[in-house]
Amino acid sequence: MNGYSAGSLSLTLIYYTMCRIIDYSKLIDVKNRNIICSNIHAIYIFYASAALLTGLGTSEDFKKASMFSVAYAINDIRDTICIGLPNAKEMIFHHSLILVSFSLFLLEPLIVIPDNYHTYLAMNFMTEVTTPILNYCFYLHNNKKPYKNPAIVLVIFYFIFRVINCSYITYISLQEGQYFVYKYVQIPFTLLNYYWFTKLVKKALN
């Protein structure tokens, strides 16, 4: 077990324990706790990704931050199954792709991972800028409140950061050779975002 797998496992257990304490205390509704956790993860990994892409952070900083994403993905899969969140199969598939994308880090130092791999991952996690807006729309929808304007904002941000961004990453990943087992993660990830985008547009137009 290398440092990355040990760190990810530790964070996963800590994250799981904290969620169970909050849920058993009944301080907040389980679904609201899930939304809050989703927003915290989105903001944190977006910041870490932006830092790497702008030169304010290093590949090592990003790799450390990604351990939290591993912990979040594993625990959110559990939440999706146990709470009965909507679009369960799609979310489990989405989170599974995230876990697969980080799997190369588990093989260090047996393999050398090039810096551009960290860059591709960071570019993908820029998509998380849409998550708080999406969660806000879910909150309004679940509480039977109007969300037409937030939904329009979401569609715009989603198109830029998930449709255009993911399309570009898919294009450049197909030009690469080394370690682009990654392309086999990127393609379904991009297609999933296309599918979700069509659903969001339909919701916004209703």
Side-chain angles (χ1 to χ4, degrees):
M1 181 180 289
N2 63 13
Y4 187 84
S5 55
S8 298
L9 178 60
S10 299
L11 280 174
T12 300
L13 294 174
I14 292 170
Y15 189 107
Y16 174 83
T17 302
M18 291 179 63
C19 288
R20 298 295 72 72
I21 291 172
I22 294 171
D23 292 346
Y24 289 136
S25 69
K26 297 182 179 179
L27 291 174
I28 56 175
D29 177 79
V30 175
K31 289 185 178 181
N32 286 334
R33 188 269 301 158
N34 178 268
I35 289 175
I36 292 170
C37 289
S38 174
N39 287 338
I40 291 173
H41 167 259
I43 293 168
Y44 177 72
I45 198 63
F46 175 80
Y47 171 79
S49 300
L52 175 62
L53 295 173
T54 57
L56 297 176
T58 65
S59 295
E60 192 61 28
D61 293 333
F62 175 78
K63 190 169 77 170
K64 290 177 181 177
S66 74
M67 290 190 288
F68 178 53
S69 285
V70 172
Y72 169 76
I74 292 173
N75 279 283
D76 202 55
I77 288 174
R78 180 202 175 275
D79 273 357
T80 301
I81 296 171
C82 295
I83 299 174
L85 297 176
N87 305 312
K89 291 181 180 179
E90 296 163 25
M91 290 305 300
I92 291 171
F93 180 61
H94 172 269
H95 288 345
S96 297
L97 291 175
I98 292 175
L99 294 174
V100 171
S101 70
F102 288 129
S103 62
L104 287 184
F105 293 143
L106 303 176
L107 300 176
E108 290 185 303
L110 298 177
I111 63 172
V112 177
I113 300 176
D115 277 349
N116 67 341
Y117 188 76
H118 301 77
T119 302
Y120 284 122
L121 291 177
M123 289 171 67
N124 265 299
F125 274 109
M126 295 301 287
T127 60
E128 289 296 329
V129 72
T130 65
T131 299
I133 311 171
L134 178 63
N135 286 335
Y136 180 58
C137 289
F138 276 141
Y139 172 80
L140 294 175
H141 174 72
N142 292 337
N143 288 277
K144 299 185 180 353
K145 296 181 180 180
Y147 60 97
K148 182 80 172 180
N149 291 337
I152 293 173
V153 173
L154 174 61
V155 166
I156 294 170
F157 272 75
Y158 203 99
F159 181 71
I160 295 170
F161 286 94
R162 289 188 180 261
V163 175
I164 295 178
N165 182 42
C166 288
S167 298
Y168 173 69
I169 301 169
T170 300
Y171 171 76
I172 58 177
S173 71
L174 290 172
Q175 313 306 309
E176 297 285 345
Q178 190 178 29
Y179 297 125
F180 277 76
V181 62
Y182 180 64
K183 74 181 70 170
Y184 301 113
V185 174
Q186 185 63 50
I187 292 171
F189 182 75
T190 301
L191 292 176
L192 182 60
N193 277 293
Y194 289 169
Y195 171 67
W196 280 342
F197 180 70
T198 61
K199 293 179 70 174
L200 288 175
V201 171
K202 288 177 182 177
K203 285 278 188 182
L205 293 177
N206 286 339

